[in-house]
């Protein structure tokens, strides 16, 4: 098996060439998400502000807000830690050193992970055998999810879906509970 870093770089390149397909998959994937039981049951939802090669999340953020849910988005912290804060909206986000719009840090506003009902986890590749996930390589979500007990899901366009992991699954990797794919919902709980 080729090394994880090489495989990740190739997959990121691949996603860049599939941006149109990813953008087109967004609407049907989001429809599946908002009609799922775990969406209905979630009051506080964590998602990301998407970048290039990712499923666009802005519409999803708006849909959650208009259905009265609280949307929290990540802020990266030193030592590859991450916290979630309420989304202040597009105009009030601050661009991080990685180029990702984030909420300003306010210790009093950090949302405890026990109070996050559903985390929509970003990634670049997912496996349909067990819901394994590969991200951009920061390890932020693996660390964050290691003691998270709520529900996780991911929006997975075809270019991110693999029959089994083509990358190396490691001891710290946390599988995703529900993959939302163009072939339907795949649950691993
Ligand atoms: N839209 C979005 N926001 C997100 C994530 C995401 O995947 N998507 N994250 C999901 O985790 C967190 C940020 N993830 C990051 C992952 C890696 C690096 C990083 O250090 N990149 C290095 C190269 C890493 C390496 O190859 O070792 C760099 O850019 O130099 C930064 C942020 C939080 N916000
Ligand atoms: N629970 C953890 N505790 C400590 N270190 C961890 C943990 N999980 C992952 N790491 C470290 O983080 C690094 C990156 O992990 P990995 O390659 O799985 O990232 P990723 O899941 O692709 O990225 P991300 O979660 O940021 O999207 C690894 O070198 C690993 O040692």
């Amino acid at each position: 098996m080729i090394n994880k870093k090489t495989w990740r770089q190739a997959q990121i390149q691949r996603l860049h060439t599939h941006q149109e397909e990813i953008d087109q998959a967004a609407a049907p994937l989001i429809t599946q998400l908002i009609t799922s039981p775990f969406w209905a049951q979630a009051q506080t939802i964590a998602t990301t502000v998407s970048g290039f090669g990712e499923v666009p999340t802005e519409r999803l953020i708006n849909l959650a807000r208009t259905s009265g849910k609280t949307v929290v988005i990540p802020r990266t912290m030193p030592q590859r830690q991450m916290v979630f804060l309420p989304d202040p909206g597009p105009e009030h986000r601050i661009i991080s050193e990685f180029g990702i719009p984030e909420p300003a840090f306010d210790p009093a506003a950090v949302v405890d992970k026990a109070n996050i009902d559903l985390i929509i986890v970003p990634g670049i590749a997912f496996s349909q055998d067990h819901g394994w996930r590969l991200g951009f390589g920061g390890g932020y979500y693996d660390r964050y999810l290691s003691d998270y007990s709520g529900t996780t899901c991911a929006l997975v366009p075809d270019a991110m879906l693999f029959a089994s992991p083509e990358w190396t699954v490691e001891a710290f990797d946390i599988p995703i509970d529900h993959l939302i794919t163009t072939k339907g919902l795949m649950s691993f709980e």
Side-chain angles (χ1 to χ4, degrees), residues 5 48-51 54 74 76 80 82 98 100 122 136 138 140-141:
K5 197 170 172 188
T48 49
V49 177
S50 54
E54 298 187 307
T76 50
R80 306 241 156 186
M82 176 174 73
F98 303 120
I100 302 168
F136 285 99
Y140 292 97
Y141 276 86

Side-chain angles (χ1 to χ4, degrees), residues 46-167:
T47 186
T48 49
V49 177
S50 54
F52 205 51
E54 298 187 307
V55 176
T57 54
E58 206 60 52
R59 192 172 141 259
L60 161 65
I61 292 171
N62 292 334
L63 285 166
R65 184 170 295 121
T66 53
S67 17
K69 299 182 190 294
T70 301
V71 178
V72 298
I73 60 173
R75 175 165 179 103
T76 50
M77 304 291 287
Q79 273 101 46
R80 306 241 156 186
Q81 298 294 315
M82 176 174 73
V83 294
F84 284 89
L85 294 130
D87 176 24
E91 267 112 78
H92 301 281
R93 297 175 193 143
I94 298 161
I95 310 296
S96 76
E97 59 178 307
F98 303 120
I100 302 168
E102 296 185 336
F105 183 60
D106 170 2
V110 170
V111 175
D112 194 298
K113 70 179 81 173
N115 294 327
I116 302 178
D117 304 308
L118 175 66
I119 301 185
I120 302 160
V121 182
I124 63 167
F126 299 86
S127 78
Q128 62 187 49
D129 56 352
H130 294 104
W132 294 117
R133 159 188 176 273
L134 184 69
F136 285 99
Y140 292 97
Y141 276 86
D142 290 324
R143 282 187 188 76
Y144 194 84
L145 297 177
S146 65
D147 61 350
Y148 174 68
S149 52
T151 304
T152 57
C153 71
L155 298 168
V156 187
D158 293 349
M160 294 184 195
L161 189 62
F162 294 82
S164 59
E166 290 183 10
W167 61 97

